């Protein structure tokens, strides 16, 4: 039983480190650089699907981080 507890603790630590990214904080991303093919331009309106996806992402973002 001790062995299983040690394995469980090790897996828990490994999972926590994997989920936290080892404490590295990534700089905020503003989007693709200029000239990138996926760059959104203000003169091109979003499609219906893109607007729905943006609304869904806004809802998820308002819930905070985590799952």
């Amino acid at each position: 039983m001790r062995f299983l507890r040690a394995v469980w603790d090790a897996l828990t630590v490994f999972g926590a480190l994997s989920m936290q990214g080892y404490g590295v904080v990534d700089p905020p991303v503003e989007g693709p650089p200029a000239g990138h093919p996926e760059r959104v331009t203000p003169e091109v309106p979003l499609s219906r699907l893109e607007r729905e996806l943006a609304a869904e992402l806004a809802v998820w973002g308002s819930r905070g981080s985590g799952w």
Side-chain angles (χ1 to χ4, degrees), residues 22-35:
Y22 303 101
V24 176
V25 177
D26 293 329
V29 177
E30 301 263 337

Side-chain angles (χ1 to χ4, degrees), residues 18-53:
S18 297
M19 296 301 291
Q20 296 300 322
Y22 303 101
V24 176
V25 177
D26 293 329
V29 177
E30 301 263 337
H36 192 276
E38 293 183 0
R39 180 128 179 126
V40 177
T41 58
E43 58 271 358
V44 178
L46 297 176
S47 69
R48 188 179 116 233
L49 175 61
E50 291 169 329
R51 287 190 305 272
E52 290 173 1
L53 291 172

